[in-house]
Amino acid sequence: MYKNKYLDNNLGAFYVRIEALEDFVMVKQRNEIDEKYQWDLSTIFATDQAWEEEATALAAAIKDAAHFAGSLLSSPANLLETTEVYLDLSRRLEKVYVYAHMKNDQDTRVAKYQEFQSKAMSLYSLLGETFAFYEPEFMEITEEQYANFLKEVPALEAYAHYFDKLLKTKEHVLSQKEEELLAGAGEIFAAAGETFEILDNADIVFPMVKDDQGQEVQLTHGNYISLVESKDRQVRKEAYQALYGVYEQYQHTYAKTLQTNVKVHNYNAKVRKFSSAREAALSANFIPESVYDSLVEAVNKHLPLLQRYVELRSKILGIEDLKMYDVYTPLSSTDYKFTYEEALAKSEQALAVLGDDYLSRVKRAFTERWIDVHVNQGKRSGAYSGGSYDTNAFMLLNWQDTLDNLFTLVHETGHSMHSSYTRETQPYVYGDYSIFLAEIASTTNENILTEKLLEEVEDDATRFAILNNFLDGFRGTVFRQTQFAEFEHAIHQADQNGEVLTSDFLNKLYADLNQEYYGLSKEDNPEIQYEWARIPHFYYNYYVYQYSTGFAAASALAEKIVQGSQEDRNRYIDYLKAGKSDYPLNVMRKAGVDMEKEDYLNDAFAVFERRLNEFEALVEKLGLA
């Protein structure tokens, strides 16, 4: 059962801060951006030609490995050799893929790098087909044979946890022929998601709208958030209606790509003998479905807190008929801005609490061109942390001088430091981390930054801005992502039950769910029914719930880091180093958070309520409502 390890564990990070986007009117070409603000991908491959040579050599090496089929368990030495060849080829391929993907992200209009990425994906399919024999053959091993193999070749002990995880999936591994067929269809299965990306990032053209200065600007993914955060309600309304007017126009196409993607998930789950796509997705990280259900239950129980915040927002803005396009505009009038250089300095100050070694890694990332900072024409929107085992833990940003972008920087730095520690501590076989753990390090950094800013703030207006940012971040991470998770599970269940995911079905489901969360009438907010069409997360196969669980766990960890002992901080660094050397829930228990209990969720909502209380008191004190 070959899986694309790089994509499985890093794809979601590409859109970690999809709402943290840039505000611009005139967008520069990439060659107009100062080199110091561009990531240095020459540290991966010196030239495009070097990449092409490695891709060609790798294709040949993968084909040469076909002779290993049929003899995996013929001897312990052969098991060791085959395993090491398989992992080495995977390691090389990750590096090839990362270069192609990031080159493409720099400017998605460049056909050359579109081709590079396509070639890299084809290599993943080839690797999957070539090693489709591995898991079916390995599953034939008996307990006695396995014990003898470990005794005869002690070097196999290095892969003991890797083998243990494989054996736990035994009932879901198919025959070699079936695995080959599934692996060969990998590109076909990925087509719906890729079609969405091309349609949404390259082909969709939004209309002209007016900005805060009354100037006509082209609406884009990049400037939408800035426009909908405007203090001018007419600007917000026009941008909102213009954006969703386009999604309404293409709703049937988006419904087809999403339906196809859901069908792929359900099909793969069915043929692998899982009861549902959710069980299949969560089992990849050995997470019980009860963790998902507990999250949804806890969030629904605390929806009155969200609606209380929405009501307060209405009062502060002085709007009786609050609409969804009013939910995103910052409530603070304080001009709390940071240039990129100021944000780097503030990030270092906040993260210093994690110790000298952590801080030295942060400074490397900030000074050695790990970060692609500014927007340019054709650049992928949003922000992410990427890279592979043998590269720097690169970051993509689309910078603007806002408080939110400071948090984006700290967030992605959390991902990159997690990657850095894991890759430098663990051997390749354990040298990444499960997606379940991915969002914890990033949001822990955000919580640490919030504590730092609240600690040093000297005036009520700035404190108001920081609390507003926290409450909006919690809304966008815990409440919003759980709303996404409910929608995602519902559409998978509907398809599994034979319902057709038409745009009408998806629109109604999403509108009802949005009304349940925000308490805002779907009749008064008709455009929101199309929001599902623009969310790339719905193509990630049960990824989004982990934003919520991760944020909640991060709240507990940040409290221990800031208020606790050196031992607490050491345990956190050990979590960053663990990678896949243990099961995710075990890694978190060692760090001090038991995610099979609801305590960490309730603790997170307690923090939200405490800061909401303080925010309400400030609103009254400042006479803002």
Side-chain angles (χ1 to χ4, degrees):
M1 184 168 55
Y2 177 76
K3 298 176 73 178
N4 180 336
K5 187 171 77 170
Y6 177 80
L7 292 180
D8 285 346
N9 295 296
N10 294 280
L11 183 56
F14 292 151
Y15 299 90
V16 161
R17 298 285 291 189
I18 197 68
E19 293 185 345
L21 303 172
E22 71 287 350
D23 180 19
F24 60 92
V25 177
M26 298 300 293
V27 181
K28 293 183 178 181
Q29 297 289 346
R30 186 162 185 83
N31 60 12
E32 297 176 301
I33 305 292
D34 192 316
E35 187 180 76
K36 71 179 180 179
Y37 296 118
Q38 298 181 33
W39 52 23
D40 182 9
L41 300 186
S42 69
T43 58
I44 307 177
F45 289 101
T47 63
D48 289 349
Q49 182 180 348
W51 181 91
E52 292 180 291
E53 290 172 355
E54 170 62 0
T56 300
L58 183 56
I62 292 172
K63 291 174 183 177
D64 287 345
H67 73 274
F68 286 106
S71 60
L72 182 68
L73 300 181
S74 61
S75 71
N78 200 63
L79 174 61
L80 178 63
E81 182 185 7
T82 306
T83 301
E84 291 184 337
V85 168
Y86 172 42
L87 291 173
D88 180 65
L89 291 172
S90 178
R91 179 173 176 174
R92 289 171 62 186
L93 180 49
E94 285 183 21
K95 188 176 177 182
V96 165
Y97 177 84
V98 161
Y99 183 86
H101 195 288
M102 292 186 176
K103 278 288 189 179
N104 184 53
D105 286 350
Q106 293 177 177
D107 188 341
T108 59
R109 305 168 302 172
V110 180
K112 177 181 182 179
Y113 296 125
Q114 292 175 10
E115 182 181 353
F116 274 24
Q117 184 167 323
S118 179
K119 286 181 178 179
M121 291 301 298
S122 295
L123 286 173
Y124 268 117
S125 292
L126 178 61
L127 184 65
E129 291 173 29
T130 302
F131 283 89
F133 72 88
Y134 188 96
E135 291 188 19
E137 287 189 30
F138 182 77
M139 296 308 176
E140 297 298 319
I141 199 167
T142 65
E143 288 186 19
E144 181 181 4
Q145 186 181 22
Y146 182 54
N148 288 335
F149 272 23
L150 293 178
K151 186 182 299 182
E152 291 179 45
V153 180
L156 285 170
E157 284 285 356
Y159 303 100
H161 182 60
Y162 175 73
F163 293 144
D164 184 56
K165 290 193 295 182
L166 289 178
L167 290 172
K168 286 183 181 295
T169 67
K170 186 171 185 176
E171 64 180 299
H172 304 294
V173 176
L174 308 178
S175 69
Q176 180 177 337
K177 186 63 178 176
E178 290 169 327
E179 292 290 350
E180 288 175 355
L181 289 171
L182 284 179
E187 286 186 82
I188 299 172
F189 289 159
E194 291 177 356
T195 301
F196 166 82
E197 285 194 26
I198 293 171
L199 175 63
D200 210 55
N201 287 295
D203 290 345
I204 287 293
V205 178
F206 296 104
M208 301 293 289
V209 295
K210 289 185 177 179
D211 64 13
D212 285 335
Q213 287 72 46
Q215 296 179 334
E216 291 275 335
V217 297
Q218 179 81 52
L219 179 65
T220 67
H221 287 298
N223 64 11
Y224 170 70
I225 290 298
S226 294
L227 291 168
V228 86
E229 288 179 347
S230 171
K231 295 292 185 183
D232 187 329
R233 196 181 193 203
Q234 185 58 38
V235 170
R236 300 198 298 268
K237 180 179 180 179
E238 184 181 350
Y240 177 84
Q241 292 181 338
L243 183 92
Y244 287 114
V246 173
Y247 283 103
E248 179 182 9
Q249 180 183 356
Y250 293 99
Q251 61 180 298
H252 305 297
T253 301
Y254 281 106
K256 192 62 179 178
T257 59
L258 184 55
Q259 179 189 46
T260 302
N261 197 66
V262 169
K263 284 187 176 296
V264 168
H265 295 163
N266 280 337
Y267 175 77
N268 279 322
K270 181 179 179 181
V271 299
R272 293 197 181 283
K273 305 180 182 68
F274 288 102
S275 64
S276 68
R278 188 178 75 169
E279 182 193 13
L282 270 62
S283 71
N285 293 308
F286 303 93
I287 305 299
E289 289 185 273
S290 60
V291 171
Y292 197 108
D293 290 330
S294 294
L295 169 68
V296 172
E297 182 180 343
V299 169
N300 275 269
K301 185 170 63 177
H302 290 91
L303 283 179
L305 287 176
L306 172 61
Q307 292 161 15
R308 183 174 138 199
Y309 179 50
V310 170
E311 274 187 43
L312 182 62
R313 171 176 285 276
S314 179
K315 292 177 183 177
I316 296 171
L317 292 174
I319 299 173
E320 293 184 2
D321 61 332
L322 193 82
K323 298 291 196 296
M324 283 303 299
Y325 54 76
D326 299 315
V327 168
Y328 297 97
T329 185
L331 300 174
S332 171
S333 58
T334 300
D335 192 22
Y336 199 30
K337 292 183 177 294
F338 296 84
T339 65
Y340 178 63
E341 282 71 21
E342 289 170 342
L344 295 179
K346 182 60 67 178
S347 298
E348 291 181 15
Q349 291 172 20
L351 299 176
V353 68
L354 287 164
D356 292 341
D357 184 65
Y358 189 98
L359 189 58
S360 69
R361 293 168 186 266
V362 170
K363 290 181 177 179
R364 280 188 58 207
F366 289 176
T367 59
E368 295 180 10
R369 293 180 59 197
W370 292 18
I371 308 175
D372 205 77
V373 181
H374 296 297
V375 65
N376 57 256
Q377 289 191 28
K379 184 178 177 180
R380 179 180 293 281
S381 62
Y384 68 71
S385 168
S388 73
Y389 188 80
D390 294 305
T391 75
N392 292 326
F394 293 101
M395 292 176 253
L396 180 141
L397 303 175
N398 282 282
W399 184 261
Q400 58 177 329
D401 296 342
T402 65
L403 178 63
D404 188 64
N405 267 228
L406 168 61
F407 275 90
T408 299
L409 172 63
V410 165
H411 181 108
E412 302 307 339
T413 300
H415 281 301
S416 289
M417 295 305 100
H418 194 182
S419 298
S420 174
Y421 270 108
T422 296
R423 293 167 188 167
E424 292 184 25
T425 305
Q426 299 295 335
Y428 174 74
V429 66
Y430 307 129
D432 59 3
Y433 41 84
S434 72
I435 58 175
F436 184 76
L437 298 180
E439 296 309 318
I440 296 172
S442 54
T443 46
T444 295
N445 274 16
E446 288 195 61
N447 278 274
I448 291 172
L449 176 60
T450 298
E451 292 286 350
K452 177 66 175 177
L453 294 176
L454 288 174
E455 173 190 311
E456 65 184 20
V457 67
E458 296 180 354
D459 64 280
D460 288 340
T462 304
R463 191 171 194 85
F464 180 94
I466 296 166
L467 288 169
N468 179 200
N469 183 273
F470 169 79
L471 295 170
D472 277 343
F474 196 103
R475 174 199 58 77
T477 305
V478 178
F479 287 111
R480 180 173 167 82
Q481 299 301 327
T482 305
Q483 177 187 348
F484 286 174
E486 283 205 64
F487 177 81
E488 181 178 25
H489 189 45
I491 61 178
H492 281 82
Q493 286 182 309
D495 177 74
Q496 189 175 11
N497 293 333
E499 294 193 57
V500 181
L501 303 185
T502 63
S503 58
D504 286 345
F505 177 89
L506 296 168
N507 293 343
K508 183 180 185 306
L509 175 63
Y510 197 88
D512 288 345
L513 199 56
N514 195 80
Q515 179 175 276
E516 180 184 342
Y517 267 67
Y518 288 90
L520 299 177
S521 165
K522 62 183 181 181
E523 287 79 17
D524 291 339
N525 295 275
E527 295 86 359
I528 200 63
Q529 67 183 308
Y530 307 114
E531 186 175 42
W532 59 267
R534 66 180 284 255
I535 308 300
H537 304 69
F538 295 145
Y539 294 83
Y540 299 170
N541 195 11
Y542 286 93
Y543 185 94
V544 293
Y545 85 98
Q546 295 158 122
Y547 288 130
S548 303
T549 56
F551 191 99
S555 296
L557 289 172
E559 184 75 13
K560 292 175 183 291
I561 291 166
V562 175
Q563 307 295 339
S565 65
Q566 185 59 46
E567 182 182 355
D568 290 320
R569 290 184 277 277
N570 291 341
R571 291 174 74 183
Y572 179 75
I573 298 298
D574 288 341
Y575 143 73
L576 296 179
K577 294 177 178 179
K580 285 190 170 180
S581 62
D582 201 351
Y583 295 104
L585 292 179
N586 289 341
V587 171
M588 289 309 301
R589 287 190 192 96
K590 293 174 185 175
V593 178
D594 189 343
M595 299 183 72
E596 287 194 273
K597 297 179 179 178
E598 289 188 18
D599 294 352
Y600 79 102
L601 294 166
N602 294 328
D603 289 346
F605 285 111
V607 172
F608 181 83
E609 185 170 15
R610 185 173 72 245
R611 288 182 175 160
L612 179 58
N613 290 339
E614 182 180 356
F615 192 66
E616 288 173 331
L618 271 177
V619 169
E620 184 175 350
K621 179 180 179 182
L622 297 171
L624 297 176

